[in-house]
Amino acid sequence: VLIVEDEPSIIAVYLILLETLDKQVIPLAAASYMKAREILAQESVDLIILDLILPDAMATEVLAELRRECPNIPIFLVTGNLEELDLEKAGRFGITQLFLKPIHVEPFGRAVEDTLQRSP
């Protein structure tokens, strides 16, 4: 699971959550879109958890590129600011799930588990 998030405290929450789900889950974290691209070039992932606003990109501006490079990887888009989100653009690029911050652990955890169980 690739976590693309620039806030360390939020990454920590994701890491704790992923630890409780399955011992087979290996979390990777990137604090920027460029770092995420480096990881994706080297690692195979089953899920991308993508923050809307990153230091070097807006998620909605890089979704087309992500979809070209990773067409079958589910993407969870996470935001604390719906005003910044272009839902139409996000929908065109196949966002699997949309979550609002603060993350509600139970539904988020179920969505991650369900998604990972469906991964080949």
Side-chain angles (χ1 to χ4, degrees):
V1 174
L2 175 58
I3 302 163
V4 187
E5 168 65 59
D6 61 324
E7 181 60 46
S9 63
I10 296 174
I11 292 172
V13 170
Y14 289 138
L15 293 176
I16 291 167
L17 175 68
L18 291 172
E19 284 177 14
T20 66
L21 295 179
D22 185 349
K23 300 295 185 213
Q24 302 286 6
V25 173
I26 300 170
L28 304 166
S32 69
Y33 180 65
M34 292 305 291
K35 181 64 178 170
R37 288 187 52 185
E38 290 173 19
I39 291 171
L40 288 168
Q42 299 172 6
E43 303 287 341
S44 174
V45 301
D46 296 315
L47 173 63
I48 298 171
I49 300 170
L50 179 63
D51 187 30
L52 176 64
I53 302 171
L54 297 166
D56 58 348
M58 281 286 285
T60 50
E61 301 304 319
V62 298
L63 283 171
E65 181 178 324
L66 268 178
R67 275 293 162 231
R68 275 192 309 276
E69 295 176 12
C70 311
N72 299 316
I73 298 174
I75 299 174
F76 287 9
L77 186 62
V78 183
T79 184
N81 188 349
L82 275 179
E83 291 83 37
E84 296 287 331
L85 179 60
D86 183 338
L87 281 172
E88 182 181 329
K89 189 180 282 188
R92 279 197 316 260
F93 295 111
I95 294 302
T96 307
Q97 296 267 348
L98 172 64
F99 291 94
L100 297 178
K101 292 178 186 176
I103 296 293
H104 295 279
V105 174
E106 284 187 29
F108 186 81
R110 278 194 307 273
V112 169
E113 267 187 320
D114 291 348
T115 300
L116 293 177
Q117 287 175 353
R118 286 192 298 260
S119 291

